[in-house]
Amino acid sequence: MRVQADTHRCIGAGMCVLTVPEVFDQGEEDGLVVLLDAEPPPERQAAVERAERLCPSGAISILREAEA
Amino acid sequence: MPESRTGPIRFPLDHVGLFDPPETLRSLREERPVAPMTYADGHVGWLVTGYAAARSILADPRFSSRRELLHPPVPRSMTPDMYKPSDPGQFVRMDPPEHTRYRKLLVARFTVRRMKLLEPRIREITEERLAAMVAAGPPQDLVKGFALPVPSLVICELLGVPYADREEFQHATSVFLDWESTAAEIQTALDDVTTYLSGLIKRKRAEPTDDLFTELITGGELSDVELVNIGFLLLAAGHETTANMLGLGTLALLRHPEQLAALRADPSLIDNTIEELMRYLSIVHVGPIRAALEDVEIEGELIRAGDVVTVSLPAVNRDPTRFPDPERLDITRPATGQMSFGHGVHQCLGQQLARTEMRIAFPMLFERFPTLRLAVPAEKVPMRDTMLIYGVRELTVEW
């Protein structure tokens, strides 16, 4: 699984950080998404998918195997 | 349901009991989750009661938040300004890129990490209010003694607004949110709060202090008009919302003692309890509101350019296709995804502050008063039936 986070779409709601702090953070200066781990291990997959769904601005996308 | 077959309905406002949304919303959601609705000024737009439809509309840039495009879903007096484009700084009623510029100036102040740093101070503030309640003794109005002051003190401190001046913005907020207020009352309240904030900006420019409002003032990127509007928005949104969640949320837990017992038995349920209370209560009962910029088809309904769309959060948060057995308050259910903070680029800027406040305030309240109970019959609790944000007007409790 590969994760992408788009800072141009991000509105800094913080849902991803709240959901998977191991994978996402927010920039200290701009509050926008910072990707800590672009290839999270399989045990975090469900949580990352939840973060993708919860993101209000569609800033998080997951590239599944077929697309990667 | 007859209304949806015979023509556009009106926005239903008749709550059932203390916590349940109007029955009409449920039948609409089953029959026509995007349904024609007549607005207060005669405009025929739409009412959205389905979760999926609400989510796609709120995330879609073809639906605008611009104030001059909207129509009022409920009968309320409109000041002439309410039909004009938003003034500088009123970014809730703007679209990108204007909205983006303001949001970017603020968003770094409300991150998950920043809110964590506030925790010790929020705990102190909460403790002070609880100690004052103990000192005064039962019975007491929990709204006046706890639910309103805790978030008001927090937002005042964050922004650097003297708490002694709270009447200045609390009054303006409640006039603005009450749809029974007259246009003259709204205008006077807004003028008063503008005068107050203009004075505060002058004082802070002369004597800068260590707070968010001073940083915005001295940052040089915002005009005085923008500062006043952003200041009022942060003050209003920063206290009224959490205050109503604390008041109504306490009532909900007291009326569902098995849920309160479960939370007491397992304090780690608090985060989910907050999401579930927000889902179950959805205190914003009118809106979000958008206007279609072009023709858009949603769930088989053709929404024409210019049509206004109002989402009913109580209806979408109780959509059984998203939350099974939705009418039940259950603090153990997966409740994330509740839409009470909105969705899309306008999703609540202060949501992590609100969560932090509730995560601290609810457990401390129930820990301090193990025997907390209503001091009046539940049906006598005065509800905010004419307010854009639902809640309790007073909550007399004893312990």
Side-chain angles (χ1 to χ4, degrees), chain B residues 10-13 37-41 71-78 83 177-180 285-287 289 310 385-388:
Chain B
R10 294 258 174 196
F11 194 97
L13 293 165
M37 179 173 84
T38 305
Y39 284 64
D41 58 2
H71 295 271
V74 296
R76 70 172 305 192
S77 300
M78 302 285 282
Y83 293 105
L177 290 174
D178 189 338
W179 66 68
E180 290 188 342
H285 280 200
V286 182
I289 308 168
T310 297
D385 281 319
T386 67
M387 302 293 273
L388 297 168

Side-chain angles (χ1 to χ4, degrees), chain A residues 7-19 25-32 50 52-58, chain B residues 55 58-59 99 103-104 107-108 110-114 275 322 336-337 342-349 351-352 355 359:
Chain A
T7 49
H8 295 291
R9 298 191 75 127
C10 177
I11 56 150
M15 289 315 294
C16 55
V17 187
L18 209 60
T19 309
D25 197 358
Q26 280 171 286
E28 190 62 44
E29 290 298 314
D30 61 9
L32 300 180
R50 201 156 59 241
E52 180 192 29
R53 278 198 305 278
L54 285 173
C55 176
S57 59
Chain B
R55 203 178 137 93
L58 294 176
H99 163 263
R103 177 123 188 166
K104 286 210 156 139
V107 76
F110 292 93
T111 61
V112 172
R113 188 183 301 124
R114 290 269 187 132
E275 300 303 312
R322 179 62 181 77
T336 52
H343 186 64
V345 297
H346 286 278
Q347 196 185 54
C348 181
L349 173 71
Q351 60 180 291
Q352 306 306 348
R355 286 192 174 95
R359 191 187 301 132

Side-chain angles (χ1 to χ4, degrees), chain B residues 65-76:
Chain B
S65 292
R66 280 159 50 199
R67 187 170 67 180
E68 71 275 22
L69 302 178
L70 305 181
H71 295 271
V74 296
R76 70 172 305 192

Side-chain angles (χ1 to χ4, degrees), chain B residues 108-314:
Chain B
R109 315 289 176 179
F110 292 93
T111 61
V112 172
R113 188 183 301 124
R114 290 269 187 132
M115 297 305 109
K116 271 207 190 316
L117 294 175
L118 292 180
E119 280 178 7
R121 184 59 193 131
I122 296 175
R123 231 172 256 125
E124 275 174 22
I125 285 170
T126 309
E127 177 53 37
E128 284 162 18
R129 299 316 307 177
L130 292 170
M133 282 180 69
V134 170
Q140 263 189 63
D141 175 12
L142 191 84
V143 173
K144 206 183 281 171
F146 185 78
L148 187 57
V150 168
S152 299
L153 280 155
V154 172
I155 197 68
C156 278
E157 206 164 295
L158 191 64
L159 283 176
V161 173
Y163 182 66
D165 297 347
R166 61 192 177 278
E167 259 301 302
E168 305 277 356
F169 64 86
Q170 285 179 348
H171 174 71
T173 307
S174 60
V175 169
F176 188 72
L177 290 174
D178 189 338
W179 66 68
E180 290 188 342
S181 297
T182 64
E185 285 168 341
I186 295 170
Q187 197 56 58
T188 304
L190 293 179
D191 290 347
D192 288 351
V193 83
T194 300
T195 305
Y196 168 70
L197 285 172
S198 302
L200 185 65
I201 290 166
K202 261 195 209 91
R203 292 202 294 282
K204 284 189 174 291
R205 204 165 263 145
E207 288 174 57
T209 37
D210 182 17
D211 52 64
L212 173 52
F213 206 31
T214 301
E215 281 175 44
L216 294 174
I217 292 164
T218 56
E221 291 195 59
L222 297 168
S223 69
D224 279 20
V225 174
E226 290 174 315
L227 287 165
V228 164
N229 286 327
I230 291 174
F232 181 48
L233 170 66
L234 294 177
L235 283 169
H239 81 280
E240 183 85 14
T241 46
T242 307
N244 281 300
M245 272 307 299
L246 290 175
L248 191 61
T250 300
L251 179 61
L253 288 170
L254 291 176
R255 299 295 291 161
H256 295 81
E258 77 295 345
Q259 299 295 317
L260 181 53
L263 176 62
R264 283 190 156 125
D266 181 0
S268 74
L269 287 173
I270 185 61
D271 287 337
N272 200 64
T273 300
I274 289 162
E275 300 303 312
E276 172 66 353
L277 284 171
M278 292 202 61
R279 182 197 72 80
Y280 184 70
L281 301 169
S282 351
I283 52 166
V284 175
H285 280 200
V286 182
I289 308 168
R290 299 288 184 267
L293 294 172
E294 51 186 271
D295 292 0
V296 183
E297 195 177 308
I298 304 270
E299 309 233 338
E301 308 285 354
L302 180 61
I303 298 172
R304 296 277 187 192
D307 286 0
V308 173
V309 174
T310 297
V311 172
S312 165
L313 293 175

